[in-house]
Amino acid sequence: MAKPPAKLARRYRIDDPKKFRLKQIDPGDTGRYRSEEDAEQILGEGTKALCEQQEKLYAQSEWSLLLVFQAMDGAGKDGTIKHVLSGVNPQGCEVSCFRAPSEKELKHDFLWRASHGLPERGRIGIFNRSYYEEVLVVRVHPDYLENQGLPPKLVTKKIWAERYESINDFESHLARNGTVVLKFLLHLSPEEQRRRILERLDDPEKSWKFESADIEERKLWGRYMHAFEEMVRETSTKVAPWHVIPADNKWFTRLAVSAVIIEKLRSLRLHRPPVDAEKKREMKKARAALGRKK
């Protein structure tokens, strides 16, 4: 049986963040795979393996898994989530999308709304965008801070470093309480984003995805890349590492993300709860009851 390779899972993990530069990751990289057909069997087996691990996670109900996805628009977050988790039981999985904060959310600290989407033990939580928007889009558009109601004296040049510290503390707290945090930055090239936006414009079935704001944000590409790079350098930790995944080829993005998730779940040595003596007696009675003629 083909399995998502462990080397692939580790290849894009940022273990030495202080030396990280975004240019180190080629958005078009596909490792040793040359086409989707080349990786087709592994993609299929990855779906089966993740389904099996998720069943054990749910049955054991000790750990929880939080998957965080960040990217520029068009990088394929939705498609990656859909395909990688296609075999997962929806009962044990929940997706949270983080758009512009509501008026109520703005009256709380920037991590408040994220806490409401955290997965229970035994479940997988997926953040399609996340609290990291507060050091990405808000950093690129610092005027957004004015809407957050912060005391003016707290909005200083240190605010981004302070938010990185708060995020690291938050994720360390989750790790200490049994929530495994895996973070994915889907790294897309501007040329591939341009192609995908044009595809949305030309394909009636994809036109609904187009938003004019995407064009304006594209003009700020350099600022976003700087924000992404510093985010990874300041918040890729041992307990919650970033994985910077090439995103120009959707099939490879899905393969790499799947490999990371499966390897991590396997490392937890998940298992279904053992059947104790009392349960065995109950099962014996049940078999007798089901075998009895009416």
Side-chain angles (χ1 to χ4, degrees):
M1 179 183 292
K3 297 189 297 184
K7 288 184 178 180
L8 180 60
R10 295 189 288 269
R11 178 170 181 163
Y12 303 104
R13 187 176 64 207
I14 309 304
D15 293 324
D16 191 0
K18 296 306 178 184
K19 294 183 179 180
F20 171 73
R21 297 294 184 273
L22 201 55
K23 65 182 181 181
Q24 296 168 348
I25 307 297
D26 176 7
D29 183 27
T30 58
R32 63 183 178 86
Y33 305 97
R34 294 293 171 261
S35 67
E36 184 172 2
E37 290 71 26
D38 191 23
E40 185 175 3
Q41 184 180 2
I42 293 179
L43 281 165
E45 295 300 339
T47 299
K48 296 177 184 177
L50 183 55
C51 180
E52 179 182 359
Q53 291 297 317
Q54 186 254 347
E55 183 180 315
K56 293 178 181 179
L57 178 77
Y58 186 80
Q60 186 174 337
S61 195
E62 292 180 357
W63 298 91
S64 58
L65 176 64
L66 176 63
L67 307 177
V68 176
F69 290 87
Q70 292 290 160
M72 292 293 286
D73 182 71
K77 296 187 305 299
D78 293 350
T80 299
I81 292 168
K82 176 181 177 181
H83 284 81
V84 170
L85 298 162
S86 60
V88 170
N89 186 340
Q91 186 178 8
C93 182
E94 184 175 358
V95 180
S96 300
C97 297
F98 289 80
R99 303 188 185 282
S102 67
E103 183 177 349
K104 180 178 181 180
E105 289 168 342
L106 287 171
K107 292 184 180 296
H108 293 269
D109 68 270
F110 77 93
L111 289 169
W112 180 79
R113 64 173 177 163
S115 65
H116 290 265
L118 294 174
E120 302 172 11
R121 299 190 192 283
R123 298 175 181 268
I124 298 174
I126 303 164
F127 284 1
N128 187 341
R129 300 189 189 276
S130 68
Y131 43 89
Y132 279 99
E133 293 293 283
E134 295 293 333
V135 293
L136 291 172
V137 66
V138 179
R139 183 163 191 178
V140 173
H141 298 278
D143 53 300
Y144 289 0
L145 284 170
E146 298 176 7
N147 300 324
Q148 297 190 353
L150 292 167
K153 71 175 184 178
L154 297 183
V155 183
T156 69
K157 293 181 179 180
K158 297 180 179 179
I159 190 167
W160 310 119
E162 291 169 348
R163 288 195 169 187
Y164 294 142
E165 184 178 357
S166 294
I167 288 171
N168 289 337
D169 289 343
F170 176 64
E171 292 175 347
S172 292
H173 168 74
L174 294 179
R176 287 192 295 268
N177 286 274
T179 296
V180 175
V181 183
L182 292 178
K183 302 178 297 194
F184 300 94
L185 171 58
L186 307 188
H187 185 32
L188 183 73
S189 69
E191 295 80 13
E192 180 61 17
Q193 190 203 49
R194 174 180 177 277
R195 189 193 69 77
R196 292 181 187 181
I197 291 177
L198 287 172
E199 186 178 30
R200 290 179 183 179
L201 294 173
D202 297 337
D203 187 344
E205 294 186 1
K206 296 182 179 181
S207 296
W208 64 273
K209 294 183 178 182
F210 172 73
E211 295 184 14
S212 58
D214 297 341
I215 304 301
E216 295 304 311
E217 292 298 277
R218 181 175 161 81
K219 296 176 182 178
L220 303 173
W221 191 275
R223 295 185 188 179
Y224 272 106
M225 294 305 104
H226 173 74
F228 279 130
E229 183 173 281
E230 186 160 311
M231 172 196 75
V232 172
R233 292 176 65 184
E234 298 298 329
T235 62
S236 191
T237 63
K238 186 175 181 179
V239 298
W242 275 104
H243 297 78
V244 182
I245 308 293
D248 277 10
N249 295 279
K250 294 179 180 179
W251 61 268
F252 183 74
T253 304
R254 296 162 187 170
L255 177 63
V257 169
S258 175
V260 172
I261 298 171
I262 292 168
E263 184 193 36
K264 187 60 183 180
L265 288 176
R266 283 177 172 155
S267 74
L268 299 178
R269 300 185 181 278
L270 301 170
H271 58 82
R272 298 171 182 83
V275 178
D276 59 23
E278 179 62 28
K279 179 67 69 173
K280 289 179 179 178
R281 285 192 289 270
E282 292 176 2
M283 292 168 63
K284 184 177 181 179
K285 291 179 181 179
R287 289 192 185 94
L290 290 170
R292 188 177 301 133
K293 295 182 180 180
K294 292 184 178 180

